[in-house]
Amino acid sequence: MMKRIIFSTNNRHKLEEVQHSLGDAFELVTLKEVGIVEDIPETGETLQENASQKSHYVFDRLGEDCFADDTGLEVVALNGAPGVHSARYASLEKSDSKNIDLLLKNLSGKLDRSARFRTVISLILNGQEYLFEGIVNGRIIEDRRGCDGFGYDPIFVPDGCDRTFAEMSMEEKNQISHRGRAVAKLVEFLKQYRSDGII
Ligand code: IMP
């Protein structure tokens, strides 16, 4: 029997990506599909707190297995900023282009441009919480390159590459990205759990 898990997102694209990696042993459903239409609070000071807050919110409401993710860009010369504030770094409304402008301004003249993306996933399965982390190290370049992807993709070049995330196909990015790596750990865990006959 297919096991249902709520993915605490309304981003269909993210959901399809994870569903694809999971195969058909699990059926992922979005917040909207389970009737949660309000914005879930994200008031934590860390990625882990936010991911946890989002998964607990869903679990408290419905008592069902669920997971949530939270991602941030951590820049060394800025002491880890924008970090947990990545989505609204430049202004209260979410604007990728204003965020990039501000980051480039704050980094101008800095020699160390190293940075990393980090994703934390909080899974609640049978009432127990499990955490998964994915990291990709890289650097912030001086000008935007490429038009695929979203967020800070046009200015982030992962280590070992000469192209930005915005110059890569989605498959290529997923292979090495923070979210791809965190999701791979989640998928491996769920498959193992399933094959052990626990759920
Ligand atoms: P979220 O937790 O996935 O909503 O991500 C928070 C913010 O981090 C987004 O609004 C983006 O600004 C940034 N971000 C997350 N993932 C990526 C990515 O894969 N590439 C570029 N920016 C990202």
Side-chain angles (χ1 to χ4, degrees):
M1 200 187 63
M2 263 227 236
K3 171 96 184 129
R4 179 168 116 150
I5 302 186
I6 303 164
F7 184 1
S8 178
T9 184
N10 275 320
N11 184 333
R12 267 261 137 221
H13 178 79
K14 268 193 194 174
L15 182 118
E16 273 160 25
E17 245 176 59
V18 184
Q19 182 73 70
H20 181 75
S21 318
L22 262 178
D24 57 11
F26 298 90
E27 182 202 4
L28 297 184
V29 290
T30 60
L31 290 173
K32 212 182 281 170
E33 285 167 309
V34 296
I36 297 183
V37 289
E38 67 275 21
D39 280 341
I40 299 184
E42 282 183 61
T43 55
E45 284 301 311
T46 62
L47 299 174
Q48 182 178 325
E49 277 171 34
N50 275 346
S52 231
Q53 192 176 20
K54 288 187 274 185
S55 63
H56 279 90
Y57 183 95
V58 175
F59 187 73
D60 290 346
R61 279 277 302 270
L62 302 170
E64 272 193 62
D65 295 333
C66 58
F67 64 91
D69 68 332
D70 204 42
T71 294
L73 173 65
E74 300 172 335
V75 180
V76 171
L78 303 177
N79 299 316
V84 73
H85 305 294
S86 293
R88 295 185 174 81
Y89 184 42
S91 54
L92 277 179
E93 110 247 33
K94 292 185 188 176
S95 162
D96 288 346
S97 101
K98 284 187 189 162
N99 285 342
I100 289 182
D101 287 342
L102 180 62
L103 187 68
L104 292 178
K105 184 168 150 258
N106 289 346
L107 266 185
S108 75
K110 305 252 193 240
L111 291 179
D112 183 358
R113 301 186 70 97
S114 51
R116 65 182 191 177
F117 275 112
R118 193 160 68 89
T119 295
V120 175
I121 295 177
S122 159
L123 166 73
I124 300 184
L125 200 62
N126 292 331
Q128 163 106 35
E129 182 177 18
Y130 303 88
L131 294 166
F132 306 90
E133 182 183 65
I135 289 176
V136 58
N137 291 304
R139 67 195 160 86
I140 304 296
I141 55 170
E142 310 221 338
D143 295 296
R144 293 164 164 86
R145 268 181 9 216
C147 42
D148 287 331
F150 72 104
Y152 300 87
D153 279 349
I155 54 166
F156 183 84
V157 174
D159 283 352
C161 299
D162 50 17
R163 283 169 303 143
T164 66
F165 268 161
E167 294 176 301
M168 295 181 188
S169 68
M170 203 204 320
E171 291 74 31
E172 219 177 338
K173 180 183 163 188
N174 282 341
Q175 292 277 325
I176 54 169
S177 82
H178 44 299
R179 195 173 309 96
R181 286 175 174 163
V183 164
K185 289 182 188 170
L186 169 78
V187 166
E188 194 187 326
F189 177 86
L190 284 172
K191 284 185 172 166
Q192 186 60 45
Y193 219 85
R194 191 95 240 223
S195 70
D196 288 346
I198 301 171
I199 49 174

